[in-house]
Amino acid sequence: MPIPPLAGLCTYEEAARVGVSVDDSVRFLLRLAWIRKRAMEMGLYWLNSTPQWEVKEALSLHLHLDAEHVGMLRRRISEMRNPPPPMDEPPSEPLEAFLKELLWAEQTPERIIGVYGVLRPAILEACWAHDRSLNPLVAHPTRRMLRIMIADDEQTARWGEQAVAVVTGTDESRRRASEWTAHLDAYLTAAGGITGDDDAPAGDLPAARAGAAYQPDYFPQRDDRFVLRGNFVFPPHEVSREDQVDVEEKTLALMCKRALEMDVPELMAPMITEAANQPWAFTTDMCRQLWDEARHAMMGTVYLQHRGIDWKRKVPLHPGASIRLNMHLDPLEAHAVLYAVEQALMPAKTGKRYEWATASEASDALATQFQDYDWADEVLHAQIGKRWLPPMLDMTKEQVLDLGHRKAVETEAHLANYADPDEQINWWPDFVREVLGRETRMDPTKSGIGDPVYHKDQME
Ligand SMILES: [Fe+2]
Ligand SMILES: [Fe+2]
């Protein structure tokens, strides 16, 4: 048995077969990069208005993967063609028309069916077909990139199949799904498919649903399972830092704080979509952070679930921060608030190190693990903030911090307009009694004072 030739990529015979040319490959990769960019934007545009948390979790992951894949595609295209072809314009009008129809999907079922029932399966099939059509030796860098994307896409497809099955569980929903699928299929076929190479039959398309300009709705929605979503009182902020509170109770508070991070991806979405003239690295950095924030919320929910706590019912996982930032600040001001928050998490005595040490002192292995990785992510987030925001605002770091602090205080007052006074209840003492089987060590008069708008007395 000889040592395999050609680094084990293929046989001499396979390497001697003529595959797709550089020109044709670049043309496909350009379309793919554009389609994935649009898919990422759909995730960002829909994140707030999609109420189901499980869908927000998946959108957060998939838009991060799309951003990464677009970055890989852009780099590969630039390796093959100098100067690189323009990558920020639609490669064809019919393709753009299809993507626009998909963006106009109404409500969660149409969004899931469109992206996970129509778009992503077509992308996956086109990537496999392109992979097979390439010469395995000469096009190795392209094939390697495609295989990485395909591995991600196949995992995405498994989520998508199950989600589609759930939203097509009744005869009526199946009927509507097949109408919507037929509508989108007609537009995709007219575009020549993902590759643009399929036969596009002449003939009329169904009437377009898309209007001239898409208006994203950035108001954060939570579904009805989050029964306390209108209660903006959140004592864990203070509990986790109060000297008189023991580490066990502090750790519980920290895990509630992690779960509350559900609205960080929501408030990051407009910072990405509305940013003008930034290089793609900005998008990949910000989408990575968005996904990290979604994972931080997941860490909290996993912890609470693991302890048998009905967190959707018992913890007021309100979207207060995303309401404040999305409804009352422009995206750059909102970004400055996020920047100020992230930088404040770095000091050892009060920030992420303190949170990790608290969980560790409580000998809580799961909470320690979560805080450990949360801290690691935060190191990256502080760097991302420093890298992009001061130049975007043309300010020094100190000026950005000052702006962030000012805007954070300004928007606190707005939250009162969204709060039903009857719902603003300090739930912490009952919660601690139920979970820890004892009274809270938190001074009840101090609860919520850290953020005046969360304090019931001030709302009456
Ligand atoms: Fe976070
Ligand atoms: Fe963060």
Side-chain angles (χ1 to χ4, degrees):
M1 187 78 164
I3 290 174
L6 306 175
L9 288 179
C10 55
T11 64
Y12 271 90
E13 202 185 357
E14 286 160 344
R17 242 177 256 145
V18 175
V20 168
S21 69
V22 171
D23 256 356
D24 287 344
S25 186
V26 165
R27 210 169 44 78
F28 170 73
L29 300 180
L30 259 179
R31 271 176 84 94
L32 188 60
W34 184 260
I35 293 166
R36 285 195 186 279
K37 175 178 184 277
R38 286 290 193 227
M40 176 204 76
E41 287 168 354
M42 287 173 211
L44 291 165
Y45 285 140
W46 294 345
L47 196 64
N48 278 281
S49 59
T50 301
Q52 297 83 0
W53 171 239
E54 293 79 3
V55 182
K56 289 185 202 273
E57 289 175 312
L59 290 177
S60 299
L61 170 58
H62 301 153
L63 69 87
H64 155 61
L65 295 175
D66 282 326
E68 292 290 323
H69 293 164
V70 172
M72 290 156 64
L73 285 159
R74 285 176 170 232
R75 196 174 70 218
R76 181 66 186 135
I77 292 165
S78 312
E79 286 169 5
M80 289 193 285
R81 282 292 173 254
N82 191 23
M87 297 194 234
D88 289 304
E89 52 192 58
S92 96
E93 275 315 311
L95 177 67
E96 193 63 353
F98 160 68
L99 293 165
K100 264 178 110 177
E101 287 304 296
L102 178 45
L103 177 61
W104 252 259
E106 282 167 11
Q107 315 293 340
T108 307
E110 279 196 357
R111 290 170 174 179
I112 288 178
I113 289 155
V115 170
Y116 299 95
V118 178
L119 176 66
R120 292 199 187 273
I123 291 176
L124 192 51
E125 198 187 309
C127 284
W128 271 124
H130 195 69
D131 177 85
R132 281 192 300 270
S133 71
L134 293 166
N135 178 295
L137 179 65
V138 297
H140 175 259
T142 302
R143 285 191 94 202
R144 177 171 173 270
M145 174 190 70
L146 284 170
R147 295 294 172 98
I148 293 169
M149 288 195 244
I150 286 170
D152 286 337
D153 287 350
E154 289 193 328
Q155 195 179 36
T156 301
R158 284 194 287 279
W159 184 90
E161 271 169 35
Q162 291 180 42
V164 168
V166 170
V167 298
T168 53
T170 64
D171 286 346
E172 175 57 14
S173 62
R174 269 191 295 279
R175 187 189 61 73
R176 274 194 266 144
S178 69
E179 272 176 29
W180 179 232
T181 303
H183 180 88
L184 293 173
D185 274 342
Y187 277 83
L188 183 55
T189 306
I194 297 293
T195 61
D197 296 336
D198 299 349
D199 287 337
D204 288 341
L205 280 168
R209 199 194 271 193
Y214 183 71
Q215 289 296 344
D217 175 6
Y218 291 123
F219 188 87
Q221 301 289 345
R222 291 273 185 287
D223 65 64
D224 294 343
R225 294 170 302 167
F226 294 86
V227 286
L228 305 174
R229 63 190 181 280
N231 183 1
F232 299 122
V233 178
F234 208 78
H237 293 306
E238 291 91 22
V239 172
S240 63
R241 310 216 179 287
E242 197 60 33
D243 285 341
Q244 84 223 36
V245 177
D246 58 284
V247 288
E248 188 190 29
E249 187 176 338
K250 276 181 181 164
T251 299
L252 182 63
L254 285 172
M255 292 297 106
C256 290
K257 270 166 68 67
R258 293 289 75 76
L260 188 71
E261 287 193 58
M262 283 177 186
D263 64 359
V264 185
E266 291 167 340
L267 62 84
M268 288 194 72
M271 294 176 198
I272 307 169
T273 49
E274 307 298 320
N277 306 320
Q278 292 304 311
W280 194 255
F282 167 82
T283 310
T284 51
D285 274 0
M286 293 291 284
C287 288
R288 161 65 197 274
Q289 182 176 340
L290 185 152
W291 164 235
D292 291 349
E293 303 299 359
R295 281 191 301 108
H296 297 166
M298 292 183 214
M299 290 176 191
T301 63
V302 169
Y303 181 89
L304 297 169
Q305 181 109 2
H306 184 67
R307 293 197 58 165
I309 298 164
D310 188 352
W311 46 276
K312 293 191 196 81
R313 258 179 187 285
K314 302 282 177 172
V315 183
L317 296 169
H318 67 79
S322 47
I323 291 175
R324 283 163 57 173
L325 270 56
N326 293 5
M327 298 295 111
H328 297 282
L329 293 180
D330 75 41
L332 277 172
E333 292 169 338
H335 203 158
V337 174
L338 179 69
Y339 179 91
V341 172
E342 302 279 358
Q343 302 302 326
L345 297 176
M346 286 298 106
K349 284 218 169 78
T350 51
K352 287 295 160 189
R353 185 181 209 297
Y354 163 82
E355 295 186 344
W356 167 78
T358 301
S360 168
E361 215 184 298
S363 305
D364 187 324
L366 189 57
T368 306
Q369 165 108 99
F370 287 165
Q371 287 301 147
D372 195 14
Y373 278 82
D374 179 68
W375 180 14
D377 288 339
E378 226 52 66
V379 173
L380 174 68
H381 300 173
Q383 289 165 359
I384 290 174
K386 279 187 192 158
R387 181 178 174 196
W388 296 107
L389 196 57
M392 280 169 82
L393 284 164
D394 195 18
M395 285 182 180
T396 64
K397 286 171 198 159
E398 290 67 34
Q399 287 170 321
V400 178
L401 277 179
D402 181 58
L403 176 68
H405 288 136
R406 251 185 313 117
K407 293 294 165 187
V409 173
E410 264 176 49
T411 55
E412 270 181 9
H414 288 297
L415 202 53
N417 300 329
Y418 299 88
D420 178 345
D422 291 341
E423 287 178 61
Q424 310 310 305
I425 291 156
N426 183 359
W427 50 281
W428 187 252
D430 286 348
F431 184 72
V432 170
R433 210 171 294 125
E434 197 176 324
V435 176
L436 300 180
R438 58 155 170 88
E439 292 304 306
T440 175
R441 307 270 149 81
M442 184 70 186
D443 174 354
T445 61
K446 279 189 162 179
S447 263
I449 289 172
D451 204 343
V453 79
Y454 301 152
H455 195 49
K456 193 170 192 298
D457 298 343
Q458 312 222 352
M459 304 203 51
E460 285 166 350

